[in-house]
Amino acid sequence: MTSPYEPGAAPQPACPGQAVPPPPEAAVPPPGCPAHGMPPQTPVHPDAYAPVKLYGPEFAADPQRVYAQLRQYGAVAPVEIAPEVTAMLVTDYRAALELLNDDATWSKDSRAWMETVPADSPVMPMLHWRPNVFYSDGPAHVRYRDVIVDSFKLVEPHELRARVHHAADTLIQRFGAVGEADLIADYARLIPLLMFNTLFGLPDSYSERLIAAIAGMMEGNSPEEANAANEAYTQYIMELVGAKKAQRGPDLTSWMMDHPNDLGDEELIHNIILVMGAGNEPLANLIGNSLARMLSDDRYYNTVSGGALTVHDAINEVLWNDPPMANYSAHFPVRDVFFHGTWLRAGQLVMVSYAAANSQFDTTGVHGPGSGSGSHLAWAAGPHACPVKRHALLIAITAIERLTAWLSDIELTVHPSELTWRNGAFHRALAALPTRFTPITPDQAGATPWHNSERGPSSSTPPEQTSTARTPASAH
């Protein structure tokens, strides 16, 4: 029998759900791969058929190295997203677009798949079926999506921007006088919580519960922690819905309740769970990753309040290079399908790597429009693309502009190479972003967050400087 690796032999189809193993010469990165031209890397795994881990410190530290190795399988590769939980990961840009736009071949319903994996898996909170817009198909999906889109349309952009200003000023007041801050723990992770907590109609006192629950679900360090976080998150949402049933308000929860599509209690709760989760952790990562890029790159000036490139530029680069949700878009084939060279079983978990697809054609490390691969996939694509990306962008841009307007000389206290990333198969998230700056206090001359007025900084207008020019924070 002819070996599939002999010259001229045609590739043999793998067993359903298994990638075709690469020939020996595929060990050399192909032209166009981000690893092309780099020194040889230690193989990610010794077995051509073994799934590659998308979790652990090695993956968190250098995911692009893993994506380069996965491309040796072709458009789809076997991965392990948690102990005893495997999936097929789409790393090819065009294959990802095809999957995301083909709702005839691919379903979002995870119920059959759930029966094949441990019920206590730490990734289950992220993949557990719920009657919401993410895990529904066809008319049900359209019905849920309309409720979300129509409700967010009632949030006026100027009001949203004012809410971001208030949240940003509240947080900056906590650390402004200290002269140093971890912009992840003290700012990026808290801004979305303050925003969505109030947008959905609860006071700020509920925010700490929300951040602990969402972080536990995303990181999934153990089955016990992940399940506890899922329960805490569900309890938070149930209390929110109960409060709005008792008294409506000008908030997203009330608008979703009163939408003519008339969601039942279970549908309402689970769609709020989805929107709240999707609006917090990924948005926090977007803000944090963008601040890290600005503070690490001289193109943004030696401080972040000026320079040739803007906050929007930083966010766009992050969406290309370090998308806050790196691997997700869980789909399940409705039938056995031969997809871009790989047989996939009906009901098998197939995910899209936005990060790998975005970087497929990049060899510079600075990916962006005009690279030859079209638009980035950080917001996904097709019928399940993010329905409120305009709101997310407005929050992220305004939060960063507000911070850099008040703290114009902020800088990193460590070298960019020393920044560490959190564990997890789904997200791309910094563990910390330590910074320093010239302290600001309520009694200093000039505009401060404590003396905010119409003359204070806005998303487009820097504060009027009445004090003497500051020296860089590193000079103190």
Side-chain angles (χ1 to χ4, degrees), residues 163-363:
R163 288 177 183 265
V164 180
H165 286 173
H166 173 72
D169 291 353
T170 298
L171 295 175
I172 295 169
Q173 288 174 28
R174 297 181 185 180
F175 57 76
V178 180
E180 59 183 29
D182 173 4
L183 292 185
I184 300 300
D186 299 333
Y187 195 73
R189 294 187 70 188
L190 299 179
I191 282 281
L193 289 164
L194 293 174
M195 291 298 305
F196 278 88
N197 195 59
T198 57
L199 282 173
F200 275 93
L202 283 179
D204 290 348
S205 58
Y206 280 77
S207 295
E208 292 303 321
R209 289 174 56 188
L210 187 58
I211 190 171
I214 291 178
M217 290 172 62
M218 294 294 293
E219 294 180 22
N221 292 321
S222 71
E224 294 76 19
E225 291 178 2
N227 289 332
N230 188 40
E231 291 178 7
Y233 185 37
T234 302
Q235 181 62 33
Y236 168 93
I237 300 298
M238 292 179 68
E239 291 182 24
L240 165 65
V241 171
K244 292 300 139 184
K245 278 191 170 184
Q247 183 175 0
R248 297 288 204 274
D251 52 66
L252 288 170
T253 309
S254 298
W255 296 330
M256 290 175 71
M257 282 181 170
D258 295 334
H259 193 278
N261 283 4
D262 193 24
L263 299 188
D265 286 355
E266 184 182 20
E267 294 174 312
L268 176 68
I269 288 171
H270 285 295
N271 278 283
I272 292 176
I273 285 175
L274 172 72
V275 175
M276 189 81 77
N280 276 280
E281 181 75 13
L283 182 54
N285 297 344
L286 179 59
I287 294 171
N289 295 359
S290 299
L291 281 168
R293 183 166 288 267
M294 294 177 70
L295 292 166
S296 305
D297 192 331
D298 289 340
R299 295 176 303 155
Y300 292 95
Y301 185 52
N302 62 349
T303 64
V304 294
S305 61
L309 297 182
T310 66
V311 172
H312 192 275
D313 292 323
I315 287 177
N316 195 45
E317 287 192 359
V318 164
L319 292 172
W320 274 104
N321 296 283
D322 284 313
M325 291 298 288
N327 307 294
Y328 206 34
S329 279
H331 285 76
F332 308 89
V334 298
R335 61 182 180 277
D336 291 355
V337 59
F338 190 63
F339 183 72
H340 286 259
T342 300
W343 276 105
L344 301 171
R345 299 188 308 272
Q348 182 175 14
L349 172 60
V350 180
M351 293 175 21
V352 171
S353 177
Y354 314 125
N358 284 354
S359 63
Q360 179 181 5
F361 307 100
D362 183 38
T363 59

Side-chain angles (χ1 to χ4, degrees), residues 15-31:
C15 296
Q18 192 154 37
V20 177
E25 60 267 27
V28 178

